[in-house]
Amino acid sequence: MTAKKLLSGIFVVTQILTGCNNGRSPKGDAVDFSKPDPDFVVEFADEVPVVPEGLRISVFDIDVTPPVGSWLAYDSTKNTWDLGLRAKGIVLFGAGKPVVLCAVDWIRICNSGYDSFRRSLANAAGTTPDRVSVHTIHQHDAPWCDFDIEKILAGAGAKLQCFDGAFHRQAITRLALKVRNSLNETQPVTHIGLGSADVEKVGSNRRIMGSDGKLMAPRWTATKDSALRAQPEGLIDPEVSLVSFWNNDTPLAVLSYYASHPQSYYRTGVANPDFPGVARFFRQLEVPDALHIHFTGAGANVGAGKYNDGSHQNRLILAERLAGGMKKAWESTKREPVTAGSVRWDFESVALPEAEHLAKLERRLKENQDTAMNSSIAMKLAWIERCRSGMKVDVSCLSIGNAKILHLPGELFVEYQLAAKSQRKDLFVAMAAYGDNGMGYIGTAEAYEEGGYETGDPSLVGPGSEKVLMDAINRLLSIR
């Protein structure tokens, strides 16, 4: 089943805002958001609006905060915060079919849920899914979208909890409508701006290594152990990178990239964008004419643990430090003229090797066929099914002027980002990770030998992933 073709968004949006799971489109088609549907996609009956020629941009921004009573990743939503969760992005026109970049204040979007986002936004913008890149910022008091897991759990009669996709399908529909409407409000792009600056006392490596080369202890995002906080900062990328789009002297959109887990504290039952969302809001207030869109880079093994003991006051402190880095990057921004000829989009579809522990799970389930289904097992089965069906994940690159912006799947170790920047020191390189996150953590080959949480059960891929991804990254960065 596909989502219903929409002549206008008014009726559907009204149904969503009033909390309805069922309704009818203006065309009379039934809409049932509560029905598990891995093939859900928003389609449009009307033609895509004609956009004037030349390099142009539109921006979009909606609230994607779940209603009280629905599930966040770990808990039921009991309240909303002063700042809600947002889905923000841009549509770039003029260099072939449109390119859509979108950042969502959710913890994960995975598998067919990710496909649904991409296909729906592609339909809205009049492009193809391979020119759409959607990323979560990975806040933890936030939704988790995976329609494959939902189907597996529903089929087994298990509790859906955070994998109940009704609100997710509503959000996708509203987001697609917003993207479509943004096409009537495009503006010319005459320049891009590139700037970077170090963020002080936010990021630190989560993996404390012993003298034997093995993991000694994890330094979680909130670390109460003062001895672990006293350990060196470790390997991180301290830079926040800013790419801005301008119409002459007017800024239109500012995209920021920083590699760190985004948590100060969580498990509150209150949906919130955590310190990156607060930092983004501060910058939006300072530069109000441009939409500020933040992406989390390759920060799977980076968090605020050295500088955060979990005290609730630290959310503001970390937000101010990140916003301070963003401000310095903004002030250091250098603008350069661009045209449609300055832009290109390239991508590679790759297959990542499965983790060895998945085969063990399959054998265990075959031997014990009465094993009760739960979300952990369903998550692994969803990824196994996706891999065996031949589905791949995309690695893409937006080249514009002297910048190359990479878009990667999963919870990626910072080494990937540092390697990419090192390869093209002649260019401005930024990276957004946390795209399709069906596989979870993606460590380096060495990290899988070292052990630890990130390269254990939460990683559904194996050490061979490093070569696959680095080969794709290298090829994309070498295109001129």
Side-chain angles (χ1 to χ4, degrees):
M1 182 187 80
T2 61
K4 311 313 169 206
K5 295 181 179 180
L6 305 172
L7 295 173
S8 157
I10 298 175
F11 181 84
V12 174
V13 170
T14 301
Q15 292 290 322
I16 294 169
L17 294 178
T18 55
C20 296
N21 285 333
N22 299 283
R24 290 192 174 275
S25 74
K27 197 175 181 180
D29 297 323
V31 179
D32 182 3
F33 293 115
S34 66
K35 181 180 179 180
D37 182 9
D39 297 320
F40 180 88
V41 60
V42 179
E43 296 180 337
F44 295 81
D46 54 325
E47 295 295 324
V48 177
V50 176
V51 174
E53 293 184 358
L55 186 61
R56 301 181 71 87
I57 193 174
S58 70
V59 299
F60 55 89
D61 176 17
I62 69 166
D63 188 292
V64 288
T65 309
V68 171
S70 62
W71 273 80
L72 305 171
Y74 303 110
D75 306 280
S76 177
T77 307
K78 64 183 182 183
N79 205 349
T80 55
W81 205 51
D82 296 71
L83 293 181
L85 308 180
R86 312 297 301 182
K88 296 167 169 266
I90 65 169
V91 186
L92 200 59
F93 306 87
K97 292 183 178 180
V99 171
V100 182
L101 304 180
C102 179
V104 186
D105 285 334
W106 289 3
I107 185 170
R108 292 171 74 165
I109 300 173
C110 313
N111 299 320
S112 61
Y114 190 78
D115 295 341
S116 178
F117 266 88
R118 291 179 84 197
R119 293 169 62 198
S120 297
L121 298 192
N123 288 341
T127 189
T128 53
D130 52 38
R131 296 175 75 85
V132 177
S133 198
V134 179
H135 301 262
T136 58
I137 299 177
H138 197 57
Q139 299 97 332
H140 278 30
D141 280 335
W144 183 335
C145 174
D146 190 320
F147 296 155
D148 289 328
I149 295 178
E150 179 190 33
K151 183 179 179 180
I152 292 170
L153 292 174
K159 292 181 178 179
L160 298 180
Q161 295 183 323
C162 72
F163 298 108
D164 183 337
F167 173 71
H168 308 152
R169 285 180 281 274
Q170 293 173 0
I172 292 169
T173 303
R174 288 194 296 113
L175 183 59
L177 290 167
K178 188 67 173 181
V179 170
R180 171 56 66 90
N181 290 337
S182 78
L183 273 54
N184 294 311
E185 301 175 350
T186 66
Q187 297 192 61
V189 175
T190 61
H191 297 75
I192 60 164
L194 305 176
S196 62
D198 284 356
V199 176
E200 298 180 2
K201 294 184 178 181
V202 173
S204 60
N205 202 283
R206 300 190 349 160
R207 295 164 61 84
I208 307 299
M209 307 305 296
S211 58
D212 61 353
K214 299 294 184 181
L215 186 74
M216 181 178 74
R219 181 164 56 192
W220 302 116
T221 303
T223 298
K224 295 188 179 297
D225 187 332
S226 59
L228 290 177
R229 293 202 308 275
Q231 291 289 322
E233 198 170 66
L235 183 68
I236 64 169
D237 183 353
E239 283 189 337
V240 59
S241 301
L242 259 64
V243 179
S244 49
F245 295 82
W246 298 71
N247 181 5
N248 293 311
D249 293 328
T250 302
L252 307 174
V254 181
L255 281 57
S256 58
Y257 302 82
Y258 181 66
S260 175
H261 265 72
Q263 297 90 259
S264 53
Y265 61 94
Y266 60 102
R267 296 299 303 267
T268 65
V270 179
N272 70 86
D274 219 302
F275 74 86
V278 178
R280 181 183 64 202
F281 181 66
F282 287 160
R283 296 302 303 149
Q284 188 70 65
L285 292 176
E286 285 210 43
V287 188
D289 293 333
L291 181 66
H292 288 252
I293 306 157
H294 183 68
F295 295 87
T296 298
N301 55 339
V302 177
K306 179 174 176 60
Y307 307 107
N308 178 35
D309 62 2
S311 299
H312 290 190
Q313 295 89 336
N314 286 340
R315 178 171 291 171
L316 173 60
I317 293 170
L318 294 170
E320 289 176 332
R321 290 173 181 170
L322 178 55
M326 291 174 172
K327 183 175 183 178
K328 291 178 183 176
W330 176 252
E331 292 170 344
S332 74
T333 289
K334 292 181 172 58
R335 292 195 296 156
E336 59 182 79
V338 290
T339 65
S342 310
V343 180
R344 64 176 293 154
W345 177 265
D346 299 283
F347 73 96
E348 293 206 6
S349 298
V350 300
L352 300 177
E354 295 178 24
E356 291 183 0
H357 64 80
L358 296 180
K360 296 178 182 178
L361 172 66
E362 287 186 295
R363 289 195 296 271
R364 179 166 63 86
L365 293 177
K366 188 176 294 185
E367 294 168 359
N368 301 280
Q369 297 187 12
D370 58 346
T371 300
M373 183 58 63
N374 58 45
S375 59
S376 177
I377 294 174
M379 185 190 318
K380 297 175 176 65
L381 293 178
W383 178 247
I384 290 171
E385 181 178 340
R386 194 164 175 84
C387 292
R388 306 285 170 80
S389 69
M391 294 292 291
K392 297 181 179 181
V393 292
D394 284 353
V395 180
S396 61
C397 181
L398 173 64
S399 302
I400 180 165
N402 287 310
K404 284 187 176 289
I405 307 172
L406 292 161
H407 308 94
L408 275 294
E411 303 192 35
L412 207 65
F413 273 36
V414 72
E415 284 88 340
Y416 290 91
Q417 180 165 315
L418 293 171
K421 288 186 172 184
S422 177
Q423 181 181 331
R424 293 304 305 265
K425 293 181 180 179
D426 58 319
L427 295 175
F428 185 97
V429 176
M431 180 180 288
Y434 297 89
D436 186 346
N437 204 353
M439 75 296 293
Y441 285 94
I442 307 176
T444 61
E446 184 179 19
Y448 285 96
E449 295 295 325
E450 295 168 348
Y453 168 79
E454 294 90 351
T455 53
D457 195 63
S459 176
L460 305 188
V461 296
S465 299
E466 178 179 351
K467 185 178 188 314
V468 173
L469 288 177
M470 284 309 307
D471 285 351
I473 289 170
N474 292 339
R475 285 191 292 268
L476 290 169
L477 288 178
S478 67
I479 297 172
R480 299 185 182 273

